[in-house]
Each structure stands twice: as structure tokens, then as C-alpha cells.
């Protein structure tokens, strides 16, 4: 099996510039595969002056002939995926024949967003600072073995109807004054499944075939190590394994498929949402970093908290992920300091 497959992941709290690094490296790879997260992630890439913000589809899609994979470790909001595909199409970039969506990936449903908002409200001052896009509750359903997967949308309609009806009924009991009707949700997911059908595949099998042919694969992470559900600053973390360990479970590839791990870090530190940030700055200096680096979330547009480079954090990421190299971004933002 090829030893030139690499993982590209964040070594801090996200927003390190992974999308740009993936875009730069993509010409050396036949496939780019996303292994975890949802549309709470945002990779911003500029191509010939045109800005692209990708939330689910790997930024490798901007390169002709490259296959892009959304793994089973990703939770998918079908409507968000369709919006992304339509935006690419408007810019002359087609995905047919180049996009593979795992049949085992879990679906984000409308009530997941409601539960996300409700959960944050209940926490009060201890809120996590989520994007309220339903990612956490979708992962909760996955672990609770009541989730709905892409393959379910394409299978037995009666079984799917029963699952949706039971889940909506349970959510109505949890959400005060909720009277969500299961039938429109069912109709929506069936329609989404049919639209997704051409892209649905066993991505583990597809990736093994690519690698068996001696072609190279880049495994793309979303968020970053310090937001990893197991190794991050818990509980102020995301709901998936953003570290290198997530590659194998999120795509169905063995550890020996990974030939190297590239960490991406900024020359300073940022994070979105709540939780610890040991080197955090405030006042004029924080504002200067934020404005110079345009530190606003690619997904929610929220201003990022800014601080100095934290070598302890990056050293920790190097240990957790077994980093072979580090891509340091945004050095120019520190010009004048």
C-alpha cells in the first residue's frame, strides 16, 4: 500500500489555514478525503481572485480530475451540501463523477438544530459556543444508535418512516411546545436521498482501490486537535475525532495507509467559541491581530479570539498526532510587531 498518503490537520483550535494548504498540495494527490466534522467547519480558498468557502466538500474539488470523498465520520446536512454544490456549479465546477459520499455517513435533521440551540441555552454561562447547526445532536444520535444514515435514505421506505416518526416523536417530548410533524421531515430526507444517490458509495472500498493502484490520497481534517472530543480542551470541543486517529474510523482505512502527518498552525493562536485560550490577548493588540488576519469564522462569521503562538499546545499536537512536519501560516500578520 502506498506510503505517500498524508493527513493534513489542525494543530491548534482550528482556522489555521488548512484549506489553503490542502489546495496547495492537491496537485500531488489523486483523491482528497474528509474524515470527520460537519458543516460547522469552513475552509476558505482563493482561486484566481475568487473566494471559495467550503464546509463539507474537500477543497481539492477545485482541481480538475481529483476525486473528493466525504467519509462516514462526517455528519451531513443534505441542504448544506446541496447549497455548496450549487455554488460550485455557478462557478463552473462540477462534482459529478468526482464526489463520493459515504453510505454510512449520518444525516443532520431539522430537529437536531433545535436541540443544539436548546442545549446551549440550558448551559447558560457554561455554554460551549457551538455553531448551533445540529452537529453535536447528530453525533449524539449516532452514538445513541438512533441515527439515520445516508444508506437509510436509499433503502426500505417503511423502515425509514418508522425511524423518522419515532425520532421526531421523541424530540417533541424533549422540546417544550414542539409539534414537529414527522411526515414533512420524512418527505424531505427521501428527496435528499434521491438527489444524493449518484454520489453515494462505499468510500472505504473506493479509497482502498485508489491506493491499490499506487495513487496518493490526502486525508483532510476539520476543526483541530485541541477541539478533538477525546484529546481537546473538553468540554469546549467538537463532537468528533479531529486528530489523526479519526482518519481510520472516519474513512475505513487502516493505520498503515497513513504515510505521514502534516500539522497546520498559525504564527499566533485563535479560537472560536468558549473555552480556555492561555495566550489570549485583549484590547488594541487583539483587535490588530484580528483585523490584520481577518479572523472571522468562515462558517458562522463570528470574530475569533486571538492570542500569541502557544508552543505548549503545538508540542502537544505533535505528540498526539505524530506530526512529521508543520506548516506555519500567517507569519505576515505579525509584520510590524
Amino acid at each position: 500500500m502506498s506510503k505517500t498518503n498524508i493527513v493534513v490537520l489542525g494543530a491548534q483550535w482550528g482556522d489555521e489555514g488548512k484549506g489553503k494548504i490542502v489546495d496547495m498540495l492537491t496537485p500531488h494527490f489523486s483523491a482528497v478525503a474528509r474524515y470527520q466534522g460537519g458543516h460547522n467547519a469552513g475552509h476558505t480558498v482563493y482561486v484566481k481572485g475568487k473566494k471559495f468557502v467550503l464546509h463539507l466538500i474537500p477543497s481539492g474539488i477545485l482541481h480538475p480530475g481529483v476525486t473528493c470523498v466525504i467519509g462516514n465520520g462526517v455528519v451531513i446536512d443534505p441542504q448544506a451540501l446541496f447549497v455548496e454544490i450549487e455554488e460550485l456549479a455557478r462557478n463552473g465546477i462540477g462534482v459529478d463523477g468526482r464526489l463520493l459520499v459515504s453510505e454510512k455517513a449520518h444525516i443532520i435533521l431539522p430537529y437536531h438544530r433545535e436541540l443544539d440551540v436548546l442545549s446551549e441555552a440550558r448551559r447558560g454561562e457554561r455554554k460551549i459556543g457551538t455553531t448551533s447547526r445540529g452537529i453535536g445532536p447528530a453525533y449524539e444520535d449516532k452514538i445513541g444508535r438512533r441515527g439515520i444514515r445516508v444508506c437509510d435514505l436509499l433503502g426500505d421506505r417503511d423502515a425509514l418512516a418508522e425511524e423518522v416518526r419515532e425520532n421526531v416523536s421523541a424530540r417533541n417530548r424533549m422540546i417544550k411546545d414542539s409539534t414537529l410533524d414527522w411526515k414533512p421531515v420524512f418527505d424531505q430526507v427521501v428527496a435528499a436521498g434521491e438527489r444524493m444517490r449518484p454520489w453515494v458509495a462505499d468510500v472505504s472500498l473506493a479509497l482502498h482501490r485508489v491506493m491499490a493502484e499506487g495513487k496518493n490520497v490526502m486525508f483532510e481534517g476539520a476543526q483541530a486537535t485541541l477541539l478533538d472530543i477525546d484529546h481537546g480542551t473538553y468540554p469546549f470541543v467538537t463532537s468528533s475525532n479531529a486528530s489523526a486517529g479519526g482518519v481510520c474510523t472516519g474513512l475505513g482505512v487502516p493505520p498503515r495507509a497513513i504515510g505521514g502527518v502534516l500539522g497546520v498552525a498559525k504564527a499566533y493562536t485563535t479560537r472560536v467559541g468558549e473555552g480556555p485560550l492561555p495566550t489570549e490577548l485583549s484590547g488594541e493588540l487583539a483587535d490588530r491581530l484580528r483585523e490584520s488576519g481577518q479572523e472571522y469564522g468562515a462558517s458562522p462569521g463570528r470574530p475569533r479570539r486571538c492570542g500569541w503562538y502557544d508552543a505548549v499546545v503545538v508540542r502537544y499536537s505533535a505528540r498526539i498526532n505524530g506530526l512529521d512536519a508543520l506548516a506555519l501560516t500567517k507569519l505576515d500578520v505579525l509584520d510590524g510587531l
Side-chain angles (χ1 to χ4, degrees), residues 280-291 304 306:
E280 186 167 11
L281 294 165
S282 60
E284 185 178 338
L285 198 49
D287 292 340
R288 175 173 176 170
L289 281 178
R290 187 176 299 110
E291 294 306 316
R304 295 171 185 148
C306 297

Side-chain angles (χ1 to χ4, degrees), residues 1 21 51 57 68 70 90-91 101 121 162 166 177 216 249 263 316 325:
M1 191 170 285
I21 300 301
K51 180 180 179 181
I57 302 173
C68 288
I70 298 176
R90 279 193 291 272
N91 286 280
V101 177
E162 185 177 350
E166 288 182 4
D177 300 324
N216 303 332
T249 55
Y316 173 78

Side-chain angles (χ1 to χ4, degrees), residues 99-320:
L99 175 65
L100 299 179
V101 177
S102 174
E103 60 189 0
K104 297 176 182 177
H106 282 248
I107 295 295
I108 298 173
L109 297 168
Y111 52 75
H112 287 137
R113 290 186 286 274
E114 294 180 71
L115 288 170
D116 213 351
V117 172
L118 182 63
S119 176
E120 281 286 81
R122 282 176 174 169
R123 282 182 168 270
E125 292 183 1
R126 293 186 62 252
K127 65 181 181 179
I128 302 298
T130 76
T131 56
S132 298
R133 295 188 174 187
I135 282 86
Y139 276 115
E140 286 181 42
D141 277 0
K142 175 180 178 176
I143 298 302
R145 291 163 294 186
R146 54 181 174 267
I148 293 173
R149 301 188 296 174
V150 171
C151 58
D152 297 326
L153 309 186
L154 305 175
D156 186 324
R157 294 286 171 84
D158 292 336
L160 176 60
E162 185 177 350
E163 287 289 328
V164 172
R165 185 166 54 243
E166 288 182 4
N167 280 4
V168 170
S169 176
R171 299 311 169 267
N172 283 342
R173 291 193 295 271
M174 291 175 63
I175 302 173
K176 185 179 180 181
D177 300 324
S178 177
T179 56
L180 184 64
D181 185 357
W182 72 271
K183 189 62 167 63
V185 175
F186 171 74
D187 292 339
Q188 182 179 334
V189 297
V190 167
E194 287 305 315
R195 188 171 175 185
M196 292 170 67
R197 188 183 290 274
W199 312 313
V200 177
D202 180 338
V203 302
S204 171
L205 179 60
L207 288 171
H208 277 259
R209 284 174 173 168
V210 168
M211 293 185 288
E213 293 172 3
K215 297 177 180 177
N216 303 332
V217 178
M218 180 168 19
F219 306 115
E220 177 188 81
Q223 288 93 33
T225 304
L226 274 295
L227 291 175
D228 185 282
I229 185 68
D230 285 296
H231 302 292
T233 48
Y234 191 89
F236 304 99
V237 292
T238 193
S239 304
S240 58
N241 288 114
S243 58
V247 173
C248 300
T249 55
L251 288 166
V253 297
R256 63 190 178 91
I258 300 171
V261 186
L262 172 63
V264 186
K266 264 192 291 222
Y268 49 100
T269 311
T270 63
R271 81 173 295 171
V272 174
E274 307 301 319
L277 183 59
T279 64
E280 186 167 11
L281 294 165
S282 60
E284 185 178 338
L285 198 49
D287 292 340
R288 175 173 176 170
L289 281 178
R290 187 176 299 110
E291 294 306 316
S292 296
Q294 284 300 291
E295 297 298 347
Y296 295 91
S299 284
R302 293 180 293 179
R304 295 171 185 148
R305 297 158 60 194
C306 297
W308 295 127
Y309 180 83
D310 191 329
V312 175
V313 159
V314 177
R315 184 173 60 192
Y316 173 78
S317 290
R319 172 165 61 85
I320 293 294

Side-chain angles (χ1 to χ4, degrees), residues 39-58:
H39 66 304
N40 53 343
H43 289 171
T44 303
V45 179
Y46 289 86
V47 179
K48 296 179 180 178
K50 175 67 178 178
K51 180 180 179 181
F52 292 88
V53 180
L54 298 160
H55 304 281
L56 285 166
I57 302 173

